[in-house]
Amino acid sequence: MKTIRIPQHIIAAIFEHAQDELPNEACGLLTGSGDTALQQHALTNIDHSPVHFALDPREQFCVLKIARADSRRILASYHSHPASPARPSDEDIRLALDPDIIYIIVSLMNPEPDIKAFSIVRGTVEEAKIEIIKS
């Protein structure tokens, strides 16, 4: 099972981003080194939809440049599900093209947000572990 280590303040920032984008899905990237996320990058969902998301390509490229300048890499892509569980939809699986990153989904369907991580390789989905680093 793959593991991603995420500081508590980044988890909180992801939840806040997801809430701020309601009723639409929020999306973004996490950069870091090894298996540890060091920075959250909230991106624009250019679909502006409650059931779909697409990362803004210009913003995505900007994050890649920042990561490389800091000797980091993109570790994870995240998005929210405003009204469905924290599990990949058929579309999420179909569009998961990078086997080297973790896919994080935040569900807002209940009062308490739920966050889960997945490794998706050529359509095969395996849950990954999120280890929360206390600040």
Side-chain angles (χ1 to χ4, degrees):
M1 174 184 283
K2 286 187 178 183
T3 299
I4 185 165
R5 301 175 71 234
I6 307 173
Q8 178 62 48
H9 73 275
I10 291 179
I11 297 282
I14 293 170
F15 287 164
E16 183 177 341
H17 181 210
Q19 290 285 346
D20 288 348
E21 293 299 316
L22 286 172
N24 295 326
E25 290 191 2
C27 57
L29 298 170
L30 301 181
T31 58
S33 60
D35 64 355
T36 304
L38 300 169
Q39 191 168 10
Q40 175 238 8
H41 304 270
L43 302 183
T44 302
N45 174 358
I46 60 173
D47 283 352
H48 305 288
S49 167
V51 293
H52 300 283
F53 79 97
L55 302 173
D56 181 304
R58 286 187 196 102
E59 293 175 351
Q60 195 173 4
F61 182 69
C62 211
V63 169
L64 185 57
K65 282 175 49 177
I66 292 166
R68 285 183 177 161
D70 292 338
S71 298
R72 297 178 182 171
R73 67 181 185 89
I74 295 172
L75 297 179
S77 171
Y78 73 85
H79 72 280
S80 62
H81 284 179
S84 60
R87 64 173 178 251
S89 66
D90 290 342
E91 181 175 313
D92 293 337
I93 295 167
R94 185 172 47 78
L95 296 175
L97 302 176
D98 188 340
D100 297 323
I101 68 170
I102 298 289
Y103 294 89
I104 296 172
I105 301 173
V106 174
S107 172
L108 300 174
M109 65 184 281
N110 295 314
E112 189 67 31
D114 185 25
I115 187 168
K116 292 191 177 164
F118 302 89
S119 170
I120 305 174
V121 180
R122 291 184 296 282
T124 300
V125 178
E126 291 183 11
E127 191 161 356
K129 179 182 178 189
I130 297 175
E131 183 181 317
I132 299 174
I133 302 167
K134 302 294 181 194
S135 301

